[in-house]
Amino acid sequence: MECKKEDNLKNCNCSYSSCDKKGVCCECIKYHRDRAELPGCYFSLSDEKTYDRSIEYFIKTYESK
Ligand code: SF4
C-alpha cells in the first residue's frame, strides 16, 4: 500500500513543521501513543499550538468546549 502523505498533509493541523512524522499518520500515532499522548489533530488549532499532547490535556480541553 502506498503512503498517502501528500493527502494526509492537507488535513494535518500540526504546527510543528520540522517533525519528520508530519503526514505519516501511522508513525505519528505510534510516536504519541507510546508516550500516552494523542496526535495534534485531536486538538483545536489553538490547543494544538501548546504542544501539550497528553491525554489529560485533551480531556481538559474537550470538556471545556
Ligand atoms: S502530532 Fe506529533 S508526531 Fe505528529 S506531526 Fe505533529 S509533532 Fe509530529
Side-chain angles (χ1 to χ4, degrees):
M1 183 179 192
E2 192 174 318
C3 183
K4 298 183 177 174
K5 183 176 180 178
E6 294 309 312
D7 281 344
N8 293 342
L9 284 172
K10 293 174 193 164
N11 299 308
C12 180
N13 72 341
C14 182
S15 59
Y16 194 73
S17 55
S18 61
C19 178
D20 62 357
K21 291 172 271 302
K22 194 167 166 60
V24 188
C25 300
C26 52
E27 291 185 8
C28 175
I29 290 168
K30 181 178 185 335
Y31 177 84
H32 286 293
R33 187 184 58 207
D34 288 348
R35 290 159 179 76
E37 297 175 344
L38 293 165
C41 54
Y42 274 74
F43 299 87
S44 70
L45 291 178
S46 58
D47 293 333
E48 181 281 323
K49 287 181 175 55
T50 67
Y51 296 141
D52 185 345
R53 307 280 196 247
S54 67
I55 292 171
E56 291 80 9
Y57 186 61
F58 171 76
I59 292 169
K60 182 180 157 191
T61 58
Y62 189 83
E63 286 179 339
S64 69
K65 293 183 175 138

